[in-house]
Amino acid sequence: QFLRDSCFNLSLKCQNLSCKKSVIDHSLSFIHNDGLIDITVERMDNPIPTSALKQQQEDVDSTESDEPIATWTYCTKCGIVVTPLIFLSKQTWQWSFGKFLEVYFYNRDALMNAPGHRCACELQSKSVLYFGCGNLAARFTYEKLSPYSVFCRRHLPFDETFHHAHSLQEMENISVSSSDLFVRFDRQIEAITRETRDLFGSAVNKPEHLQAVLSELNLVSAEVDNASKVLQEKISTVTAKYSDNSDGAKTKRREYNEALFNFPWYSRRYLFTLASAWNERLSAAGQ
């Protein structure tokens, strides 16, 4: 039934709605383990002769109203057709397609029995099996594959020495860059403070809003100095914990490693948050 429905049915539509081609322009493949069965449909120049059908009339299902289906085998090694034209019998017609695929995939030891053509090649790998109906022929070929699989590790290898060295280098870079950042903010605050005092001349009778601006600048300056001190203390603390080789420190090595590896990310986020807030406040004070 598979042959009639999927191979010899020219009105069969492709599952891809945008494809308008017929069955002849398609190929159907079944893959299992290391094997591939490829099925293609070809149009023959002449229809299958039915002269041999009368000789096999007893085995062929006479109740079948459609055109009979015949089969033959071509040997790719010998380069010839090694079996006669045989029409499907009642027993073969009742054989399920799933069972056919099972035998095709797993029967690796079967040989072609064609002494008249001196062919005893491997049936699975050296033969091309044909099924014909009218002027259409379904071509079955087997190909051995080398299947590849994706191996997903549950645990990735962890080079502790590399990550330690990388984290320490990152901490050193953050220490240098943060110090430079804090110095720039201090200079910017001093410049804004000087410009503000010059703008209002004498500081004897300052307007109230000038005093508010100076208070805001002093507050930002204090926060910059405090942030510089806090960050340097944290860098020193994390480095000291990692350098400690005492027995107590070894028992907490995993905890210290986690602090060391996470510190660069946390410190960058900390600096970004502070710098963004200070820039907004200085911009408002400068206006």
Side-chain angles (χ1 to χ4, degrees), residues 223-273:
E223 290 181 3
V224 171
D225 294 337
N226 181 68
S228 177
K229 181 180 178 180
V230 169
L231 185 60
Q232 293 300 327
E233 288 179 351
K234 287 185 176 295
I235 291 176
S236 300
T237 301
V238 174
T239 305
K241 285 183 178 180
Y242 170 69
S243 303
D244 188 1
N245 293 322
S246 62
D247 294 337
K250 291 180 179 179
T251 58
K252 295 185 178 181
R253 182 64 66 189
R254 182 175 181 180
E255 178 182 345
Y256 293 163
N257 285 342
E258 184 176 355
L260 176 65
F261 300 153
N262 291 334
F263 183 81
W265 181 81
Y266 283 117
S267 60
R268 287 192 180 92
R269 188 179 66 171
Y270 174 71
L271 289 172
F272 173 78
T273 303

Side-chain angles (χ1 to χ4, degrees), residues 186-217:
D186 285 333
R187 291 176 180 174
Q188 184 67 16
I189 293 171
E190 291 177 0
I192 295 176
T193 302
R194 185 169 53 254
E195 292 175 0
T196 303
R197 292 183 182 278
D198 294 341
L199 181 64
F200 289 91
S202 176
V204 177
N205 296 315
K206 299 185 293 293
E208 294 181 359
H209 66 273
L210 175 60
Q211 184 63 36
V213 171
L214 293 177
S215 298
E216 179 68 10
L217 292 174

Side-chain angles (χ1 to χ4, degrees), residues 34-96:
D34 60 346
L36 164 68
I37 296 177
D38 195 54
I39 306 173
T40 56
V41 179
E42 304 171 354
R43 193 184 298 274
M44 297 185 292
D45 295 333
N46 299 307
I48 295 177
T50 57
S51 56
L53 179 61
K54 296 181 180 180
Q55 302 176 5
Q56 306 174 33
Q57 197 67 39
E58 296 181 358
D59 294 330
V60 177
D61 190 356
S62 59
T63 61
E64 179 64 43
S65 58
D66 296 325
E67 290 189 73
I69 297 177
T71 180
W72 64 96
T73 304
Y74 174 85
C75 178
T76 57
K77 184 177 181 180
C78 299
I80 56 174
V81 176
V82 295
T83 63
L85 189 69
I86 301 176
F87 288 87
L88 297 187
S89 63
K90 297 178 182 178
Q91 292 79 7
T92 305
W93 184 257
Q94 295 172 357
W95 206 24
S96 70

